[in-house]
Coordinates of all heavy atoms in Angstrom, one line a residue:
M1 N -1.3 -5.6 15.6 CA -0.8 -4.6 14.8 C -1.5 -4.6 13.5 O -1.7 -5.6 12.9 CB 0.7 -4.9 14.6 CG 1.4 -3.8 13.8 SD 3.2 -4.1 13.7 CE 3.6 -3.7 15.4
T2 N -2.0 -3.4 13.0 CA -2.7 -3.3 11.7 C -1.7 -2.7 10.7 O -0.9 -1.9 11.0 CB -3.9 -2.5 11.9 OG1 -3.6 -1.2 12.3 CG2 -4.9 -3.1 12.8
F3 N -2.0 -3.1 9.5 CA -1.3 -2.5 8.3 C -2.3 -2.1 7.3 O -3.1 -2.9 6.9 CB -0.3 -3.5 7.8 CG 0.5 -3.0 6.6 CD1 1.5 -2.1 6.7 CD2 0.1 -3.4 5.3 CE1 2.2 -1.6 5.6 CE2 0.8 -2.9 4.2 CZ 1.8 -2.0 4.4
E4 N -2.2 -0.9 6.8 CA -3.1 -0.4 5.7 C -2.2 0.2 4.6 O -1.3 0.9 4.8 CB -4.0 0.7 6.3 CG -4.9 0.3 7.4 CD -5.6 1.4 8.0 OE1 -6.5 1.9 7.4 OE2 -5.3 1.7 9.2
L5 N -2.7 -0.2 3.4 CA -2.0 0.3 2.2 C -3.0 0.6 1.1 O -3.8 -0.2 0.8 CB -1.0 -0.8 1.6 CG -0.4 -0.7 0.3 CD1 0.5 0.5 0.2 CD2 0.2 -1.9 -0.2
E6 N -3.0 1.8 0.7 CA -3.8 2.3 -0.4 C -2.9 3.0 -1.4 O -2.2 3.9 -0.9 CB -4.9 3.2 0.0 CG -6.0 2.6 0.9 CD -7.0 3.6 1.3 OE1 -7.3 4.5 0.6 OE2 -7.5 3.4 2.5
A7 N -2.8 2.6 -2.6 CA -1.8 3.3 -3.5 C -2.3 3.2 -5.0 O -2.9 2.3 -5.4 CB -0.5 2.6 -3.4
E8 N -1.9 4.3 -5.7 CA -2.0 4.3 -7.1 C -0.7 4.6 -7.7 O -0.1 5.6 -7.4 CB -3.1 5.4 -7.4 CG -3.4 5.5 -8.9 CD -4.4 6.6 -9.2 OE1 -5.2 6.9 -8.3 OE2 -4.5 7.0 -10.3
V9 N -0.3 3.8 -8.6 CA 1.0 3.9 -9.3 C 0.7 3.8 -10.8 O 0.8 2.8 -11.4 CB 2.1 2.9 -8.9 CG1 3.4 3.1 -9.6 CG2 2.2 2.8 -7.4
P10 N 0.2 5.0 -11.4 CA -0.2 5.0 -12.8 C 0.8 4.5 -13.8 O 0.4 3.8 -14.8 CB -0.7 6.4 -13.1 CG -0.4 7.2 -11.8 CD 0.2 6.3 -10.8
E11 N 2.1 4.8 -13.6 CA 3.1 4.4 -14.6 C 3.3 2.9 -14.7 O 3.8 2.4 -15.6 CB 4.4 5.1 -14.3 CG 5.1 4.8 -13.0 CD 4.6 5.7 -11.8 OE1 3.7 6.4 -12.0 OE2 5.3 5.6 -10.8
R12 N 2.8 2.2 -13.6 CA 2.8 0.7 -13.7 C 1.5 0.1 -13.8 O 1.3 -1.1 -13.8 CB 3.5 0.2 -12.4 CG 5.0 0.6 -12.3 CD 5.6 -0.1 -11.2 NE 7.0 0.3 -11.0 CZ 7.9 -0.2 -10.2 NH1 7.5 -1.2 -9.4 NH2 9.1 0.2 -10.1
G13 N 0.4 1.0 -13.9 CA -0.9 0.5 -14.1 C -1.5 -0.2 -12.8 O -2.3 -1.1 -13.0
V14 N -1.1 0.2 -11.7 CA -1.4 -0.4 -10.4 C -2.3 0.5 -9.5 O -1.9 1.7 -9.3 CB -0.2 -0.9 -9.6 CG1 -0.6 -1.5 -8.3 CG2 0.6 -1.9 -10.4
E15 N -3.4 0.0 -9.1 CA -4.2 0.7 -8.1 C -4.7 -0.4 -7.1 O -5.2 -1.4 -7.5 CB -5.4 1.3 -8.7 CG -6.3 2.2 -7.8 CD -7.4 2.9 -8.5 OE1 -7.2 3.2 -9.7 OE2 -8.4 3.2 -7.9
L16 N -4.4 -0.2 -5.8 CA -4.7 -1.2 -4.8 C -5.1 -0.7 -3.5 O -4.7 0.5 -3.1 CB -3.5 -2.2 -4.7 CG -2.2 -1.6 -4.2 CD1 -2.0 -2.0 -2.8 CD2 -1.1 -2.2 -5.1
A17 N -5.7 -1.5 -2.7 CA -6.1 -1.2 -1.3 C -6.0 -2.5 -0.6 O -6.5 -3.5 -1.0 CB -7.5 -0.6 -1.2
L18 N -5.3 -2.4 0.6 CA -5.1 -3.6 1.4 C -5.1 -3.3 2.9 O -4.6 -2.2 3.3 CB -3.7 -4.2 1.0 CG -3.1 -5.3 1.8 CD1 -3.9 -6.6 1.6 CD2 -1.7 -5.5 1.5
R19 N -5.8 -4.1 3.7 CA -5.8 -3.9 5.1 C -5.5 -5.2 5.7 O -6.2 -6.2 5.4 CB -7.1 -3.3 5.6 CG -7.2 -3.2 7.1 CD -8.5 -2.6 7.5 NE -8.7 -2.8 9.0 CZ -8.3 -2.1 9.9 NH1 -7.5 -1.0 9.6 NH2 -8.5 -2.3 11.2
V20 N -4.5 -5.3 6.7 CA -4.2 -6.5 7.4 C -4.5 -6.3 8.8 O -3.9 -5.4 9.5 CB -2.7 -6.9 7.1 CG1 -2.4 -8.2 7.8 CG2 -2.4 -7.0 5.7
A21 N -5.4 -7.1 9.4 CA -5.8 -6.9 10.8 C -4.8 -7.8 11.7 O -4.1 -8.6 11.2 CB -7.2 -7.5 11.0
P22 N -4.8 -7.5 13.0 CA -3.9 -8.2 13.9 C -4.2 -9.7 13.8 O -5.3 -10.2 13.7 CB -4.4 -7.7 15.3 CG -4.9 -6.4 15.0 CD -5.6 -6.5 13.7
G23 N -3.1 -10.5 13.7 CA -3.2 -12.0 13.6 C -3.4 -12.5 12.3 O -3.4 -13.7 12.1
E24 N -3.7 -11.7 11.3 CA -3.9 -12.2 9.9 C -2.5 -12.4 9.2 O -1.6 -11.8 9.5 CB -4.7 -11.2 9.1 CG -6.1 -11.1 9.3 CD -6.9 -10.2 8.4 OE1 -6.4 -9.1 8.0 OE2 -8.0 -10.6 8.0
T25 N -2.6 -13.4 8.3 CA -1.4 -13.7 7.4 C -1.9 -13.4 6.0 O -3.0 -13.9 5.6 CB -1.0 -15.1 7.6 OG1 -0.6 -15.3 8.9 CG2 0.2 -15.4 6.7
V26 N -1.1 -12.7 5.2 CA -1.6 -12.3 3.9 C -0.5 -12.8 2.8 O 0.7 -12.7 3.1 CB -1.7 -10.8 3.8 CG1 -2.0 -10.4 2.3 CG2 -2.8 -10.3 4.7
A27 N -1.0 -13.3 1.7 CA -0.1 -13.6 0.6 C -0.6 -12.9 -0.6 O -1.8 -12.7 -0.8 CB -0.2 -15.1 0.3
L28 N 0.4 -12.4 -1.4 CA 0.0 -11.7 -2.7 C 0.3 -12.7 -3.8 O 1.4 -13.2 -4.0 CB 0.9 -10.5 -2.9 CG 0.8 -9.3 -1.9 CD1 1.8 -8.2 -2.2 CD2 -0.6 -8.8 -1.9
L29 N -0.8 -13.0 -4.5 CA -0.7 -13.9 -5.6 C -1.2 -13.3 -6.9 O -2.1 -12.5 -6.8 CB -1.6 -15.2 -5.3 CG -1.3 -15.9 -4.0 CD1 -2.4 -17.0 -3.7 CD2 0.0 -16.6 -4.1
G30 N -0.7 -13.7 -8.0 CA -1.2 -13.2 -9.3 C -0.1 -13.5 -10.3 O 1.0 -13.8 -10.1
P31 N -0.6 -13.3 -11.6 CA 0.3 -13.5 -12.7 C 1.4 -12.4 -12.8 O 1.3 -11.4 -12.1 CB -0.6 -13.4 -13.9 CG -1.7 -12.6 -13.5 CD -1.9 -12.8 -12.0
N32 N 2.4 -12.6 -13.7 CA 3.4 -11.6 -14.0 C 2.7 -10.3 -14.4 O 1.7 -10.3 -15.2 CB 4.3 -12.1 -15.1 CG 5.2 -13.2 -14.7 OD1 5.3 -13.5 -13.5 ND2 5.8 -13.9 -15.7
G33 N 3.2 -9.2 -13.8 CA 2.6 -7.9 -14.2 C 1.4 -7.5 -13.4 O 0.8 -6.5 -13.7
A34 N 1.0 -8.3 -12.5 CA -0.2 -8.0 -11.7 C 0.0 -6.9 -10.6 O -1.0 -6.3 -10.2 CB -0.8 -9.2 -11.0
G35 N 1.2 -6.6 -10.2 CA 1.5 -5.5 -9.3 C 2.0 -6.0 -7.9 O 2.1 -5.2 -7.0
K36 N 2.4 -7.3 -7.8 CA 2.8 -7.8 -6.5 C 4.1 -7.1 -6.1 O 4.1 -6.6 -4.9 CB 3.1 -9.3 -6.6 CG 1.9 -10.1 -7.1 CD 2.2 -11.6 -7.2 CE 3.3 -11.9 -8.3 NZ 2.9 -11.6 -9.7
S37 N 5.1 -7.0 -6.9 CA 6.3 -6.3 -6.5 C 6.1 -4.9 -6.3 O 6.8 -4.3 -5.4 CB 7.4 -6.6 -7.6 OG 7.7 -7.9 -7.7
T38 N 5.3 -4.2 -7.1 CA 4.9 -2.8 -6.9 C 4.3 -2.6 -5.5 O 4.7 -1.7 -4.8 CB 4.0 -2.3 -8.0 OG1 4.7 -2.5 -9.2 CG2 3.6 -0.9 -7.8
A39 N 3.4 -3.5 -5.1 CA 2.7 -3.4 -3.8 C 3.7 -3.5 -2.7 O 3.7 -2.7 -1.7 CB 1.7 -4.4 -3.6
L40 N 4.7 -4.4 -2.8 CA 5.7 -4.6 -1.8 C 6.7 -3.5 -1.7 O 7.1 -3.1 -0.7 CB 6.4 -5.9 -2.0 CG 5.5 -7.2 -1.8 CD1 6.3 -8.4 -2.1 CD2 5.0 -7.3 -0.4
A41 N 7.0 -2.9 -2.9 CA 7.9 -1.8 -2.9 C 7.3 -0.5 -2.3 O 8.0 0.2 -1.6 CB 8.3 -1.5 -4.4
V42 N 6.0 -0.3 -2.5 CA 5.3 0.8 -1.9 C 5.2 0.6 -0.4 O 5.5 1.5 0.4 CB 3.9 1.0 -2.5 CG1 3.1 2.0 -1.6 CG2 4.0 1.4 -3.9
A43 N 4.9 -0.7 0.0 CA 4.8 -1.0 1.5 C 6.2 -0.8 2.2 O 6.2 -0.3 3.3 CB 4.3 -2.4 1.7
A44 N 7.3 -1.1 1.5 CA 8.6 -1.0 2.1 C 9.2 0.5 2.0 O 10.2 0.7 2.6 CB 9.5 -1.9 1.4
G45 N 8.5 1.3 1.3 CA 8.9 2.7 1.2 C 10.0 2.9 0.1 O 10.6 3.9 0.0
M46 N 10.1 1.9 -0.8 CA 11.1 1.9 -1.9 C 10.5 2.6 -3.1 O 11.3 3.0 -4.0 CB 11.6 0.5 -2.2 CG 12.3 -0.1 -1.0 SD 12.7 -1.9 -1.3 CE 13.5 -1.9 -2.8
L47 N 9.2 2.7 -3.2 CA 8.5 3.3 -4.3 C 7.5 4.2 -3.8 O 6.6 3.8 -3.0 CB 7.9 2.2 -5.2 CG 7.1 2.7 -6.4 CD1 8.0 3.4 -7.4 CD2 6.5 1.5 -7.1
R48 N 7.5 5.4 -4.3 CA 6.5 6.4 -3.8 C 5.3 6.5 -4.8 O 5.5 6.7 -5.9 CB 7.2 7.8 -3.7 CG 6.3 8.8 -3.0 CD 7.3 10.0 -2.6 NE 6.5 11.1 -2.0 CZ 6.2 11.1 -0.7 NH1 6.6 10.2 0.1 NH2 5.5 12.1 -0.2
P49 N 4.1 6.2 -4.3 CA 3.0 6.2 -5.2 C 2.6 7.6 -5.6 O 2.9 8.6 -4.9 CB 1.9 5.5 -4.4 CG 2.2 5.8 -3.0 CD 3.8 5.8 -2.9
A50 N 1.9 7.7 -6.7 CA 1.4 9.0 -7.2 C 0.4 9.5 -6.2 O 0.3 10.7 -5.8 CB 0.8 8.9 -8.6
R51 N -0.4 8.6 -5.7 CA -1.4 8.9 -4.7 C -1.6 7.7 -3.8 O -1.6 6.6 -4.2 CB -2.8 9.1 -5.4 CG -3.9 9.8 -4.6 CD -5.1 10.0 -5.4 NE -5.9 8.8 -5.4 CZ -6.9 8.6 -4.6 NH1 -7.1 9.4 -3.6 NH2 -7.6 7.5 -4.6
G52 N -1.6 8.0 -2.5 CA -1.8 6.8 -1.6 C -1.5 7.1 -0.1 O -1.0 8.2 0.2
R53 N -1.6 6.0 0.6 CA -1.3 6.1 2.1 C -0.8 4.7 2.6 O -1.4 3.7 2.2 CB -2.6 6.5 2.8 CG -2.4 6.5 4.3 CD -3.7 7.0 4.9 NE -3.6 7.2 6.4 CZ -3.8 6.3 7.3 NH1 -4.2 5.1 6.9 NH2 -3.7 6.6 8.6
V54 N 0.2 4.7 3.4 CA 0.7 3.5 4.0 C 0.7 3.8 5.5 O 1.3 4.8 5.9 CB 2.1 3.1 3.5 CG1 2.6 1.8 4.3 CG2 2.1 2.9 2.0
A55 N 0.1 2.9 6.3 CA 0.1 3.2 7.8 C 0.2 1.9 8.5 O -0.2 0.8 8.1 CB -1.3 3.8 8.2
L56 N 0.9 2.0 9.6 CA 1.2 0.8 10.6 C 0.6 1.2 11.9 O 1.0 2.2 12.5 CB 2.7 0.6 10.6 CG 3.1 -0.7 11.4 CD1 2.5 -1.9 10.8 CD2 4.6 -0.8 11.5
D57 N -0.4 0.5 12.4 CA -1.1 0.8 13.6 C -1.6 2.2 13.7 O -1.6 2.9 14.7 CB -0.1 0.6 14.8 CG -0.3 -0.8 15.4 OD1 -1.2 -1.6 15.0 OD2 0.5 -1.2 16.2
G58 N -2.1 2.6 12.5 CA -2.7 4.0 12.4 C -1.7 5.1 12.2 O -2.0 6.2 12.0
R59 N -0.4 4.8 12.4 CA 0.7 5.8 12.2 C 1.1 5.9 10.7 O 1.5 4.9 10.2 CB 1.9 5.4 13.1 CG 2.9 6.5 13.1 CD 4.1 6.1 13.9 NE 5.3 6.1 13.0 CZ 6.1 5.1 12.9 NH1 6.0 4.0 13.6 NH2 7.1 5.2 12.1
P60 N 0.9 7.0 10.1 CA 1.2 7.1 8.7 C 2.7 7.0 8.4 O 3.5 7.6 9.1 CB 0.8 8.6 8.3 CG 0.1 9.1 9.5 CD 0.4 8.2 10.7
L61 N 3.1 6.1 7.5 CA 4.4 6.0 7.0 C 4.6 6.7 5.7 O 5.7 7.3 5.5 CB 4.8 4.5 6.9 CG 4.5 3.6 8.1 CD1 4.8 2.2 7.7 CD2 5.4 4.1 9.2
T62 N 3.6 6.7 4.9 CA 3.6 7.4 3.6 C 2.2 8.0 3.3 O 1.2 7.3 3.5 CB 4.0 6.5 2.4 OG1 5.2 5.9 2.7 CG2 4.0 7.2 1.1
I63 N 2.2 9.3 2.9 CA 0.9 9.9 2.5 C 1.3 10.8 1.3 O 2.2 11.6 1.3 CB 0.3 10.8 3.5 CG1 -0.1 10.0 4.7 CG2 -1.0 11.5 3.0 CD1 -0.7 10.8 5.9
T64 N 0.7 10.5 0.1 CA 1.0 11.3 -1.1 C -0.3 11.7 -1.8 O -1.3 10.9 -1.7 CB 1.9 10.5 -2.1 OG1 1.2 9.4 -2.5 CG2 3.2 10.2 -1.4
G65 N -0.3 12.8 -2.5 CA -1.4 13.1 -3.4 C -2.8 13.1 -2.9 O -3.7 12.6 -3.6
G66 N -3.0 13.5 -1.6 CA -4.4 13.4 -1.1 C -4.8 12.1 -0.5 O -5.9 11.8 -0.2
G67 N -3.8 11.1 -0.5 CA -4.1 9.8 0.0 C -4.6 9.7 1.5 O -5.2 8.8 1.9
G68 N -4.2 10.8 2.3 CA -4.6 10.8 3.7 C -5.9 11.4 4.0 O -6.4 11.4 5.1
Q69 N -6.6 12.0 2.9 CA -7.8 12.6 3.1 C -9.0 11.6 3.2 O -9.0 10.6 2.5 CB -8.1 13.6 2.0 CG -7.1 14.7 1.9 CD -7.3 15.7 0.7 OE1 -8.2 15.4 -0.1 NE2 -6.6 16.7 0.7
Q70 N -9.9 11.9 4.1 CA -11.1 11.0 4.2 C -12.3 11.6 3.5 O -12.5 12.7 3.5 CB -11.4 10.8 5.7 CG -10.3 10.1 6.4 CD -10.3 8.6 6.2 OE1 -11.3 8.0 5.9 NE2 -9.1 8.1 6.3

């Protein structure tokens, strides 16, 4: 199962891109204010990014502001 997350949340100063391949384990590390909670909130669908895309096994869960365009 693959997981892809690309998001921009300007009001929190966060821009990120993450891809998790099958069998991988990922940890988010960083200082306070780095965007860890924001990344998880976007991944969980609790926070809608200004621009971005969240997909699970290629199936889009969230697409905003042109985030789905290649």
Side-chain angles (χ1 to χ4, degrees):
M1 183 173 291
T2 60
F3 177 77
E4 298 172 72
L5 168 68
E6 294 179 32
E8 184 177 337
V9 185
E11 62 273 14
R12 295 189 181 185
V14 173
E15 186 174 331
L16 61 103
L18 172 71
R19 178 179 163 81
V20 182
E24 284 187 319
T25 300
V26 175
L28 295 177
L29 303 172
N32 291 345
K36 301 176 300 290
S37 294
T38 298
L40 294 175
V42 170
M46 296 171 55
L47 177 64
R48 191 161 175 87
R51 193 176 86 89
R53 179 176 186 270
V54 179
L56 185 61
D57 267 349
R59 189 180 119 229
L61 303 177
T62 302
I63 299 177
T64 61
Q69 297 176 355
Q70 298 282 331

